[in-house]
Amino acid sequence: DGSELADIKNYVSANYKKPDEEMFGIAKEKNVILISMESTQNFVINEKVNGQEITPFLNDFIKESYYFENFYHQTAQGKTSDSEFLVDNSLYPLSRGAVFFTHSGNEYNATPTILKDKGYFTAALHANNKSFWNRDIMYQSFGYDRFYSLPDYQVSNENSVGWGLKDIDFFEQSVQHLKEMPKPFYAKFITLTNHFPFDLEEEDQFIQPYNSADKTVNNYFPTVRYQDEALKNFIQRLKEEGLYEDSIIILYGDHYGISENHNEAMGQFLGKEVTPFVSTQLQKVPLIIHIPGQEGKTISKVSGQIDLKPTILHMLGIDTKGSIEFGADLFAKDKMDFAVLRDGSFVTKKYVYTRDICYDKETEQPIDKTACEPYMAKAKNELQYSDKIIYGDLLRFYEDADQE
Ligand code: GP9
Ligand code: MN
């Protein structure tokens, strides 16, 4: 039976945060355009390399959007697929393996399923083989109506690099798909060009590589810059097609691009040693939410990918009370400053806890562990409860209870 769910339900309902009245339903019946930015870490935002902006478009776009500057990815080995899992379900991925492969047969209550019920058309767009990360199977469990994958794109040698179709061409071709979708839609776009090992032809390099002994770090900057250009073009096309004003646009980084193997060159770029504290801070990814007619605002609240589902649903005027999920609405007044990373590290307003060391964010130095202790149980509980749900396929009981 679902008796294991009782504890979890209690925990989840105690953590529910009431939506902000001004934000609840602010985007009711609008289209949702979700953009997963490959390997995009937050340190590139408002930053330069060789004196040139790395993300000139995003830096501008932020000024007319909500920008969350302390937003963390919470992925593990499942990389992009883990981020998709987090965003659509508000559950944590697994610490080992990819939940997209290991638990695709589970029952979920993902955002597309919920939105379909409210009359939305739901789609994922990504110019790769549909079975990569087992997406074709998992997307069905999440309730996606349509997956625009490799056969839905014209891919040639000329418009490809590295992993496949270049982002500029991907977005350009995707506009046609968007135009044909029933409205309102929930459409998730997954970029690809800024993928390790960050290959890019000379003609697509809008900025020069960084100059260090580490080729990966050097090449990261031009591919991030290329992606920025692709995003600029896409937003422009949305405007031309009359889709911009009817849509909320949410951009987020899926996971880190530069692993700890590159600490030396990263340290050179940042101008400081990459300590475990700095390494944890490098797990910040951008989150940008654009709502037509709303002014821009930078929000410093500590948050993570797990928080996106309730945030999106509340903006659309759909309450999440009673849903089994671990995130909280980012616009809720009493949203806690908190993000647990999948390795058990966590971040609060004042502290970073990683590798059993508690750091003071202001000094970036280790401090007595007692400061972090009040949050340790919460971090542990969340990961364990989420794991239990996945391993026990517990949402099937939740669904049953719902129908009674
Ligand atoms: C592949 C793309 C990249 O389709 O999403 O996957 P990643 O290696 O980043 O998980
Ligand atoms: Mn990825």
Side-chain angles (χ1 to χ4, degrees), residues 38-39 79-80 195 254-255:
E38 178 58 43
S39 301
K79 307 299 303 265
T80 311
H195 194 290
D254 63 350
H255 49 73

Side-chain angles (χ1 to χ4, degrees), residues 96-314:
R96 250 173 292 165
V99 60
F100 261 49
F101 276 115
T102 60
H103 293 81
S104 60
N106 277 14
E107 237 175 79
Y108 294 103
N109 184 35
T111 301
T113 303
I114 296 167
L115 290 184
K116 240 160 75 160
D117 234 38
K118 306 281 176 190
Y120 272 75
F121 179 78
T122 59
L125 301 92
H126 181 50
N128 197 358
N129 199 301
K130 68 180 175 157
S131 60
F132 197 91
W133 282 129
N134 208 28
R135 281 184 175 111
D136 52 341
I137 307 297
M138 198 52 142
Y139 283 176
Q140 280 176 25
S141 310
F142 289 179
Y144 280 98
D145 289 315
R146 177 80 157 85
F147 179 17
Y148 296 86
S149 67
L150 199 56
D152 298 290
Y153 292 89
Q154 252 120 48
V155 185
S156 66
N157 263 333
E158 285 68 49
N159 65 16
S160 303
V161 71
W163 278 55
L165 185 62
K166 296 195 244 183
D167 289 345
I168 289 179
D169 302 80
F170 163 63
F171 280 121
E172 182 54 44
Q173 293 185 34
S174 295
V175 170
Q176 201 50 41
H177 298 317
L178 262 191
K179 283 169 68 178
E180 285 164 9
M181 283 179 204
K183 315 284 179 311
F185 55 72
Y186 172 84
K188 167 165 74 179
F189 296 80
I190 303 171
T191 68
L192 195 55
T193 308
N194 187 42
H195 194 290
F196 180 85
F198 314 114
D199 284 335
L200 199 65
E201 282 139 14
E202 191 96 27
E203 66 194 51
D204 292 320
Q205 299 195 8
F206 299 98
I207 57 172
Q208 291 300 305
Y210 182 56
N211 189 11
S212 77
D214 189 326
K215 218 177 130 200
T216 300
V217 173
N218 296 351
N219 290 344
Y220 181 67
F221 297 95
T223 51
V224 173
R225 175 64 184 83
Y226 173 85
Q227 178 186 257
D228 186 78
E229 194 72 14
L231 293 167
K232 182 180 92 179
N233 292 354
F234 183 48
I235 301 296
Q236 182 56 37
R237 291 290 292 118
L238 292 176
K239 287 180 179 168
E240 287 165 9
E241 297 294 345
L243 288 163
Y244 188 71
E245 289 302 320
D246 289 329
S247 307
I248 54 168
I249 302 168
I250 304 165
L251 300 116
Y252 67 93
D254 63 350
H255 49 73
Y256 67 75
I258 306 294
S259 76
E260 296 210 300
N261 299 331
H262 306 281
N263 278 356
E264 202 169 312
M266 272 308 290
Q268 185 186 325
F269 179 79
L270 298 171
K272 62 179 176 187
E273 189 196 340
V274 181
T275 62
F277 171 84
V278 172
S279 196
T280 307
Q281 293 301 76
L282 283 172
Q283 305 315 307
K284 287 182 198 176
V285 294
L287 171 62
I288 301 163
I289 300 181
H290 183 270
I291 307 172
Q294 293 274 301
E295 272 173 37
K297 193 176 176 193
T298 295
I299 298 178
S300 305
K301 181 90 61 165
V302 176
S303 58
Q305 289 164 333
I306 197 119
D307 297 317
L308 267 172
K309 182 188 179 195
T311 306
I312 294 170
L313 290 175
H314 288 173

